[in-house]
Amino acid sequence: MRSEIRVIEAAAVERRFSASQIIVICKERANRLFVVSEGCLNYSSVTDDGREILLGRLVPGDAFGIATFLSEPGCYLGTAKAVCDTTVFFWDYRLIRQLATAYPRLAENGMRIALRSVALHVERHVALVSKSARERVACALARLGTRGGRVLPTGIEVDIKNEDLASLADVSLFTASRLVTLWERKGILEKSRGRVLIRSPERLLAA
Amino acid sequence: MRSEIRVIEAAAVERRFSASQIIVICKERANRLFVVSEGCLNYSSVTDDGREILLGRLVPGDAFGIATFLSEPGCYLGTAKAVCDTTVFFWDYRLIRQLATAYPRLAENGMRIALRSVALHVERHVALVSKSARERVACALARLGTRGGRVLPTGIEVDIKNEDLASLADVSLFTASRLVTLWERKGILEKSRGRVLIRSPERLLAA
DNA sequence: CGGAATCTTGAGCGGCTTCAAAACCTGTGG
DNA sequence: CCACAGGTTTTGAAGCCGCTCAAGATTCCG
């Protein structure tokens, strides 16, 4: 089991992407499995009229390209774009299939990731239908903080533009901006271009 | 391969549910894998304030309880309730785990189902954010027609209440009703209590 | 310094939702 | 066979949340 991991790790290729570089494109054939190692990236789909919809923010430990586990490979469900300098590991399709048959626990992990993804989407859907814009933005910010936020003595720092935050919470850029400045006035957080410092996650969610 | 299917089928238990009976409950431990054999059922989650959100309409061939494929079993993501008289096959957790290790193709099918589910949720999410209520209801109705609709000489018949249609399209009951009566006036469909007869799916989607 | 991103702020409006009430359909039991 | 009760559907009127649009302010970087 320990040795399994060593073999799989040894087979990985490491690649570095700089900010705003694109790693995979939505709807293209999924011929690689990726795992984020460092940095973070936006995973997004697009509407018919070309607007970008953030499906999620991927941080170290997150994977995409799970469709590589299937015998007839599917497609990437989103476009992955590096937010900051980011390194990923990847495995080619053939390789993943071999490893997955050799080590069934690998395939099971893929399944676990896929199911968690379904659960997240269901949760987001329910929130979108039943919660207010304010709650959704607060929740999105808080989640960004707990996943991939830098812990500073003064609070939790997150790299996010208002536009991306808006898309994550399914809200217009303007309402996101208004909410953030409102919270800043209340001292719940501090905002600067492309970054948010969350001083009090509790008060954020309580609002 | 042929024999695999026979073994798996032989291990299944068949069960009949009558209309509006509940088969599994949201968030309970997933200790069975189900496949719909006949009839149809609603798969739904709930909001904090108790409103029901339809995640999907399951028809023969559809499965739920995929979390049984994991070594530590997860939960059902929704409550399954029979819409009409419905029969399902199911396998207990232990059994599925044994079958899945004996026949890797079974586990792969589970993965395929999970990934399709993610894709469907992404599609619905994008539609919810970018399309109008009218388009979403039309699309939901059309999908109901192509999956599990009865083909009649005069059109495609679907068993659906306005309330359920509304929830599937993420629209209030009232706007769903208004749209359906509008389309009825135009001759695109006919509505009666709990049933819709789609005369022209093309004109429905074109609207 | 200039230009490009990003962010703020205000005003107006519109698509849906909400609420209320009435009409309708369907099966049930007297 | 009729009346009634339950669930379902229709319709209207009112209102609001969040979006759109426009313009300006701010920050960043080459």
Side-chain angles (χ1 to χ4, degrees), chain A residues 14-65:
Chain A
E14 188 175 3
R15 180 103 95 206
R16 223 180 148 63
F17 291 90
S18 50
S20 85
Q21 266 192 299
I22 287 181
I23 296 156
V24 304
I25 294 186
C26 187
K27 299 212 173 79
E28 283 193 351
R29 196 169 157 288
N31 43 22
R32 280 176 179 166
L33 171 71
F34 291 85
V35 170
V36 180
S37 152
E38 213 184 314
C40 71
L41 51 84
N42 282 340
Y43 201 63
S44 63
S45 183
V46 284
T47 65
D48 292 346
D49 52 320
R51 273 206 348 267
E52 187 175 287
I53 308 281
L54 275 193
L55 299 178
R57 174 62 76 91
L58 303 188
V59 298
D62 289 336
F64 58 101

Side-chain angles (χ1 to χ4, degrees), chain B residues 130-142:
Chain B
S130 69
K131 296 212 196 302
S132 70
R134 175 209 204 80
E135 290 170 298
R136 296 202 306 276
V137 176
C139 189
L141 248 185

Side-chain angles (χ1 to χ4, degrees), chain A residues 115-134:
Chain A
L115 287 175
R116 181 163 331 149
S117 183
V118 176
L120 280 175
H121 277 285
V122 168
E123 193 186 339
R124 183 167 174 184
H125 179 199
V126 171
L128 178 47
V129 170
S130 69
K131 295 210 195 304
S132 70
R134 175 210 203 82

Side-chain angles (χ1 to χ4, degrees), chain B:
Chain B
M1 191 247 142
R2 201 66 227 158
S3 68
E4 282 184 24
I5 294 182
R6 238 192 305 275
V7 171
I8 295 172
E9 277 182 356
V13 180
E14 188 176 4
R15 181 102 96 207
R16 223 181 148 60
F17 291 89
S18 49
S20 87
Q21 267 193 298
I22 287 180
I23 296 156
V24 305
I25 294 185
C26 187
K27 299 211 175 81
E28 283 194 351
R29 195 169 158 288
N31 44 22
R32 279 176 180 166
L33 171 71
F34 291 85
V35 170
V36 180
S37 152
E38 211 185 314
C40 71
L41 50 84
N42 282 340
Y43 202 64
S44 63
S45 184
V46 284
T47 65
D48 291 345
D49 51 323
R51 274 208 347 268
E52 187 176 287
I53 307 282
L54 275 193
L55 299 178
R57 174 63 73 92
L58 303 189
V59 299
D62 288 337
F64 58 101
I66 301 291
T68 41
F69 281 102
L70 298 180
S71 54
E72 321 98 53
C75 299
Y76 295 114
L77 294 179
T79 296
K81 187 200 274 188
V83 171
C84 53
D85 287 5
T86 301
T87 78
V88 298
F89 294 119
F90 70 82
W91 296 260
D92 278 327
Y93 174 71
R94 281 286 185 73
L95 191 53
I96 275 297
R97 294 236 80 212
Q98 288 169 14
L99 290 170
T101 51
Y103 308 121
R105 295 177 57 103
L106 179 60
E108 194 189 314
N109 278 333
M111 172 76 90
R112 195 190 323 283
I113 291 168
L115 288 175
R116 180 160 335 146
S117 184
V118 176
L120 280 176
H121 277 285
V122 168
E123 193 187 338
R124 183 168 173 183
H125 178 200
V126 171
L128 178 47
V129 171
S130 69
K131 296 212 196 302
S132 70
R134 175 209 204 80
E135 290 170 298
R136 296 202 306 276
V137 176
C139 189
L141 248 185
R143 191 195 296 279
L144 283 169
T146 54
R147 289 174 40 88
R150 277 183 299 284
V151 180
L152 301 184
T154 149
I156 299 174
E157 193 182 51
V158 174
D159 285 346
I160 189 96
K161 291 188 291 186
N162 276 349
E163 188 178 357
D164 289 348
L165 177 60
S167 187
L168 267 182
D170 298 305
V171 155
S172 82
L173 161 62
F174 308 97
T175 48
S177 170
R178 277 181 247 266
L179 285 169
V180 167
T181 52
L182 175 74
W183 288 329
E184 186 164 31
R185 275 199 254 283
K186 287 191 178 180
I188 297 177
L189 52 77
E190 288 173 32
K191 178 90 177 75
S192 54
R193 168 170 289 225
R195 287 184 325 120
V196 173
L197 180 81
I198 308 172
R199 292 175 101 56
S200 161
E202 308 79 40
R203 289 183 59 202
L204 183 59
L205 290 171

